Structure formats: C-alpha cells, structure tokens
Amino acid sequence: MIDERRLVDRALRLVSTPSFTGSEEPAAELMRDELASLGLQVQWQQVEDGRANVLGTWPGAGGGPTLMFNGHLDTSYSGREPWLQGIPGFQPEGFERDGRIYGLGISNMKGAVACYVEAVRALRDAGVRLRGDVMIAAVAGEIEKTQEGESQGAEFRGYAAGSRHLVSHGGAADMCVLGEPTENKLVLAHFGTIWLRLTTRGPFVHTAFSSGRLAENSIVRMQDVLARVLEWLPRWEDEMSHGDVRGVANVGAIRGGFGWRVSRTPHETHLYLDLRVPPSVPMAEARRKALEHARGLDGVVAEVYVTAPGAEIDEGHPLVAALEQAHAEVFGAAPERDVTRWFSDASVLTRYGIDTVNYGTSSGLPDAELGENLEIEGLVRTAEVYAKVAQAVCGVAS
C-alpha cells in the first residue's frame, strides 16, 4: 500500500527546503502543492510575514469523527550554526545512504509530515472512502523557544505559535495524531514547562572605581543565588513527578555584563531556569510554587516568562486503541507506552478539545558525527500505521 520511493522523495524534498523557526513559508508552499496534488481541500493560513500553516482536508462521506495529523515545519536549528558545520544531519540538504535519510528536520519532524501525506495518498489510490474527515496540518513555530530580552522577532516565536493560529482559524478536529519522534511508543502524557528569570542588580561603575565593591557586583551576587537554586531544584523535581516519571529542571542560561566592555561592572545579571511541569499540575499552581521560592531569595527579582502546559489523554481513549492495534498489525507486537518530559503541540490542541497522542518514528538519536537521520523502513511502517488508524478512527464508508 505504501509507496516507499514516493515517501522517500517527499521526505527529501521537505528536508531540502530550509524552514528554520520564523522562515517556514517555503516549506509551507511545498506542502500546499503536495496537498493540492493529492486532491485535498487546501487552506493557507498566513501566521505572519514569512510564516504560514497549511491545512489540507480530505472530506469524508459523513457520519464519522474528524482525525487530524499535525506536524511542525520549523527545525531546531538553521544549519548555519558554527558548531554544526560539517555535520550532514544538521544541514537542510537531505540525502539517502544505506537505507537511511539524513538531513536537518528529518526526525523532528519532517519525516512524519511526509508519512501523513503518503498514508492518505495510499488510501486514496486504493479507492478507500472514509466516513469522517481527515486533516493534514503542517504548522509553523512549534520548537521550544520564545522572545526574551534582545532576542526578538519571528525566529524566537515558537512554543505552538502555529498550532495556536491553526485551531483558532478552522483547524478543529475530534482527535489528532502528532508524529513527534517517539521511537514508535505511544506518548499518552507529556510535561509542560515554566521558564523563570532571576535577576540580581548592582552598581554600574568603571573598574578603576570598583575597589572594595566586589560583593555588590551583580555577577558575584548571582553566585550565591545559583547555589541556593541548586539546593532547591531536587525538591521541585520531587514535587513535579508524574507517576513513576520524576520531574526535571534545568539551569538553561546565565547572562550578565558586556564582553566588549569589561571595564564596567554589570548593572544586572540574569539566571534562567527551565522548570518542567507535569500535566496533572495546573500552571497557576506551578507558577505560584516557583515564584514563592524565588521571592524568598534576598535581593532577587523573579519573573515567569513562559508558561506552556503539558497534555494528557486517557489510556482508554479510542485513538489509543486504534494506534495500538495498527502498530501491532504492522510491527508484530504491541507498542510501549510512555510519558515524556518534552513539549509538543498537544498542549494547545487538547485545550481546544482535540484529544491527541504523540506517536512517530525514531528520534534518529542525533550524534556529533551524523546529526539527524532516520531509517527508511521505519518511516514506511509508520506511514502504514497512520493509514490504518485513519480507517479505524474515521470509519470506512460502504
């Protein structure tokens, strides 16, 4: 049913179309043409200049639920980063070698987007007519990033920017499959996050006049703050566990002073924390807990600047059952279930009543030498699963 060559060629075209966050429109144009050639009703959603979503709908005969396949077009990197030079899997130039596809975005998550299209094309080629509608949504801005300080503009607007636009402009469905790289496990829950900025302040003076004032330096003051934060984070991780999955937190960045002018003491220094929040904890409660601790640090200004909730689906949901059965038929064994501590667009979709499961092929386990890559056989099997799920969920018209 699945045409391997057609799937591989589509994946290579997607990977070879650069679509770093903020510049997804060329990839959206490619998807618009792909979905139109498939005979779907195509909706173009201009998210902002240079960024767009594309929503393709295969109308059903009626009487069945609507299933969405959702995938983001933006990539985690641009490929221009100095530390990624010479690594083939981190370049927007797809190629095939020894049964694998290499290139930026193939695992996260252009491979899944190619699978969606192939699954629907295979069903249409086979003359299948479904009762419910099938949607394929290719969206901008999912990658975990946000505007902050001097980092402003479209390239910093991630965290479900595209899917938020999608669901408020007609992208409503009963349920959704997100093909994030899950190693073909069913991810029934994922964590959300709070990003917390802690700021210390000090005098802005010339080095020549700073004698005896070292303790007032905002960087030096942050040293004690960091030590106290590191003592607290294990407690956060305990409190923010989800079943057997322990919470997690990260000290993600620190910024203070001016490298081009170290003849001045920095007037302020910032410490940035990524505090993961399980889907069972309301964001307001998690925010309150984080700020209560931060405000207990003397002389520290605390601000929450990202709140991205987690998502969860009931293990008895029909979509879960359909995915489990389809996976077992294709792979010959039941899939594992998982709870992950990364974020996905399920965060937004579930809040619009779209029950969502993350299920996709391998993460490609990017490494220092090869970068992103996927096994072609895994893509083919995943596309088969998607085609079977569409039939099971939407129903086949007689």
Side-chain angles (χ1 to χ4, degrees):
M1 179 185 290
I2 300 300
D3 187 318
E4 178 180 308
R5 187 68 254 160
R6 190 167 60 189
L7 172 57
V8 169
D9 289 344
R10 183 179 302 112
L12 290 172
R13 287 196 299 276
L14 275 167
V15 170
S16 299
T17 304
S19 54
F20 184 52
T21 307
S23 303
E24 300 95 336
E25 192 161 315
E29 291 172 345
L30 187 155
M31 283 301 300
R32 177 190 59 198
D33 295 343
E34 286 280 346
L35 297 177
S37 72
L38 192 53
L40 304 191
Q41 297 176 357
V42 180
Q43 180 184 356
W44 179 268
Q45 298 182 348
Q46 196 72 45
V47 178
E48 58 181 315
D49 288 347
R51 316 184 73 183
N53 298 333
V54 178
L55 178 64
T57 302
W58 179 19
T66 297
L67 174 66
M68 177 191 293
F69 291 106
N70 181 299
H72 64 85
L73 297 174
D74 59 330
T75 56
S76 296
Y77 312 102
S78 67
R80 299 187 299 271
E81 294 81 0
W83 58 92
L84 298 181
Q85 297 305 303
I87 304 177
F90 287 133
Q91 302 303 313
E93 301 167 359
F95 64 93
E96 182 183 352
R97 179 195 296 163
D98 298 328
R100 303 186 75 85
I101 296 174
Y102 294 80
L104 182 62
I106 184 60
S107 63
N108 188 26
M109 58 177 292
K110 293 183 176 182
V113 174
C115 287
Y116 301 158
V117 177
E118 181 56 33
V120 171
R121 186 175 289 279
L123 290 173
R124 289 175 67 86
D125 287 351
V128 174
R129 184 76 192 280
L130 302 180
R131 290 192 289 116
D133 291 359
V134 173
M135 292 178 166
I136 298 177
V139 302
E142 185 271 352
I143 301 296
E144 295 183 73
K145 59 182 71 171
T146 194
Q147 298 183 120
E148 191 278 331
E150 297 176 357
S151 300
Q152 299 293 319
E155 67 182 287
F156 301 104
R157 285 194 280 272
Y159 265 127
S163 279
R164 279 197 300 272
H165 189 98
L166 172 77
V167 293
S168 61
H169 291 79
D174 294 289
M175 56 197 86
C176 175
V177 173
L178 267 175
E180 292 283 359
T182 71
E183 314 296 334
N184 290 107
K185 298 177 183 179
L186 300 186
V187 173
L188 305 189
H190 72 69
F191 280 54
T193 190
I194 280 176
W195 285 6
L196 178 66
R197 178 174 50 238
L198 305 178
T199 302
T200 53
R201 297 201 167 104
F204 182 69
V205 297
H206 192 288
T207 302
F209 306 108
S210 65
S211 296
R213 306 188 67 178
L214 186 60
E216 300 175 55
N217 186 299
S218 66
I219 292 177
V220 175
R221 293 187 60 217
M222 186 59 78
Q223 182 179 16
D224 179 61
V225 172
L226 177 57
R228 294 177 64 184
V229 165
L230 293 177
E231 291 178 358
W232 167 66
L233 290 186
R235 297 204 304 274
W236 175 273
E237 293 178 344
D238 282 340
E239 294 177 5
M240 295 295 158
S241 296
H242 188 72
D244 296 333
V245 180
R246 180 179 169 84
V248 68
N250 182 39
V251 178
I254 189 166
R255 189 178 76 235
F258 311 94
W260 53 272
R261 200 179 195 190
V262 292
S263 58
R264 298 293 187 274
T265 60
H267 66 293
E268 61 183 16
T269 297
H270 306 285
L271 180 70
Y272 299 86
L273 305 179
D274 180 356
L275 307 173
R276 295 286 147 158
V277 180
S280 55
V281 176
M283 293 305 294
E285 178 183 338
R287 177 184 179 276
R288 184 167 55 251
K289 285 179 178 289
L291 288 175
E292 282 176 356
H293 176 79
R295 288 166 180 168
L297 302 172
D298 294 337
V300 172
V301 177
E303 181 181 2
V304 169
Y305 66 104
V306 166
T307 47
E312 190 169 20
I313 188 171
D314 188 275
E315 62 181 15
H317 194 282
L319 179 58
V320 175
L323 277 162
E324 286 190 323
Q325 181 174 342
H327 177 99
E329 291 175 2
V330 172
F331 287 89
E336 297 179 46
R337 295 181 175 187
D338 200 9
V339 174
T340 65
R341 297 181 294 189
W342 43 251
F343 171 90
S344 85
D345 277 352
S347 173
V348 166
L349 299 172
T350 57
R351 277 150 186 83
Y352 270 74
I354 305 172
D355 299 323
T356 303
V357 175
N358 278 284
Y359 172 88
T361 187
S362 168
S363 64
L365 299 177
D367 57 51
E369 295 182 358
L370 298 176
E372 288 191 52
N373 61 92
L374 280 183
E375 185 183 31
I376 292 171
E377 182 181 354
L379 279 174
V380 171
R381 289 187 174 189
T382 300
E384 290 177 6
V385 171
Y386 293 157
K388 289 179 178 292
V389 168
Q391 295 177 87
V393 168
C394 298
V396 177
S398 58

